[in-house]
Amino acid sequence: MPLTTSLAAHEISCQRGGRLLFAGLNFTLAPGESLLVTGPNGVGKTSLLRMIAGLLPLHAGRIESGERSVPLPELCHYVGHLNGIKSALTLRENVDFWVDFLGGDGADLEGAYQTFGLAELKQLPAGLLSAGQKRKLALLRLFAAQRPIWLLDEPSVSLDTPSVKVLDKAIAHHLAQGGISVAASHTPLKVRFTRELSLKRDPLQ
């Protein structure tokens, strides 16, 4: 798995439920660069991230990375606005699943447990965690395996101020190592994004 890559969108369009959300969208990100996606609800921010992750089909255009030997979805970590955790499993079991599923070695996890304040909660069933703790558990998958592209949909939802600072530092460190981050967020993040993409609602829709 490459540690760095580029990411480019060429004239991409998104259609959901017969409605065109956006069209002719272009951007290019080099290693270490980041993109903040903004705009009101329903303009396609989540859909854009899901298309990059390979979870939604493109209506038109193409998205590509600089690493042609590996499918783009395999280069990505996608953390959606839903946490995607199993309540009946312990915190540690949820993380172990992601390590196995993603084929990682979990080398960075012990530090991440400490950083996110979850080290003492490993054996607790995930269903007993607070909303903020569940969000931090969802973010731990970023450290389960190395992926050069982080796709983050409202990553700071439910996090308190100290935890948002931890998230900011984690994103900044990922970028400093040559990674790429694409984030959709209504909550201000302290990370200095390389560029911002503001999606607009079509006044005719």
Side-chain angles (χ1 to χ4, degrees):
M1 177 64 63
L3 298 181
T4 63
T5 189
S6 59
L7 178 66
H10 304 280
E11 296 294 319
I12 63 172
S13 299
C14 176
Q15 187 176 62
R16 300 296 305 278
R19 184 167 65 97
L20 191 65
L21 296 182
F22 56 77
L25 201 64
N26 296 280
F27 64 81
T28 301
L29 297 172
E33 294 187 332
S34 54
L35 177 68
L36 177 64
V37 185
T38 62
N41 293 335
V43 294
K45 300 187 299 297
T46 293
S47 294
L48 173 59
L49 267 60
R50 289 176 62 83
M51 287 194 301
I52 298 171
L55 300 174
L56 283 178
L58 292 168
H59 179 62
R62 71 184 193 279
I63 303 175
E64 58 189 13
S65 74
E67 181 56 53
R68 303 301 174 87
S69 64
V70 181
L72 176 57
E74 294 184 20
L75 299 172
C76 299
H77 272 312
Y78 172 69
V79 179
H81 55 84
L82 299 178
N83 291 320
I85 61 179
K86 293 289 187 181
S87 297
L89 299 181
T90 65
L91 188 154
R92 182 59 180 265
E93 288 169 338
N94 272 279
V95 174
D96 287 346
F97 168 80
W98 283 110
V99 172
D100 182 64
F101 180 77
L102 296 169
D105 58 13
D108 298 328
L109 277 171
E110 288 307 317
Y113 277 122
Q114 295 289 340
T115 299
F116 281 97
L118 299 175
E120 305 302 320
L121 305 176
K122 293 179 184 179
Q123 303 309 317
L124 193 68
L128 299 181
L129 299 174
S130 70
Q133 289 168 338
K134 289 177 180 177
R135 191 56 176 170
K136 288 188 281 187
L137 170 56
L139 290 167
L140 281 184
R141 77 186 64 172
L142 298 171
F143 306 93
Q146 290 186 322
R147 295 286 188 274
I149 301 172
W150 287 8
L151 306 173
L152 308 175
D153 193 358
E154 300 295 345
S156 62
V157 66
S158 299
L159 296 183
D160 57 20
T161 299
S163 298
V164 173
K165 292 180 179 179
V166 170
L167 172 62
D168 284 332
K169 290 181 180 179
I171 297 173
H173 179 73
H174 177 65
L175 298 175
Q177 299 300 308
I180 285 173
S181 180
V182 181
S185 179
H186 288 105
T187 304
L189 298 169
K190 298 299 184 182
V191 178
R192 290 188 175 182
F193 286 87
T194 310
R195 26 185 90 78
E196 181 175 338
L197 174 63
S198 180
L199 298 180
K200 308 293 185 181
R201 180 176 288 115
D202 188 337
L204 300 179
Q205 296 183 353

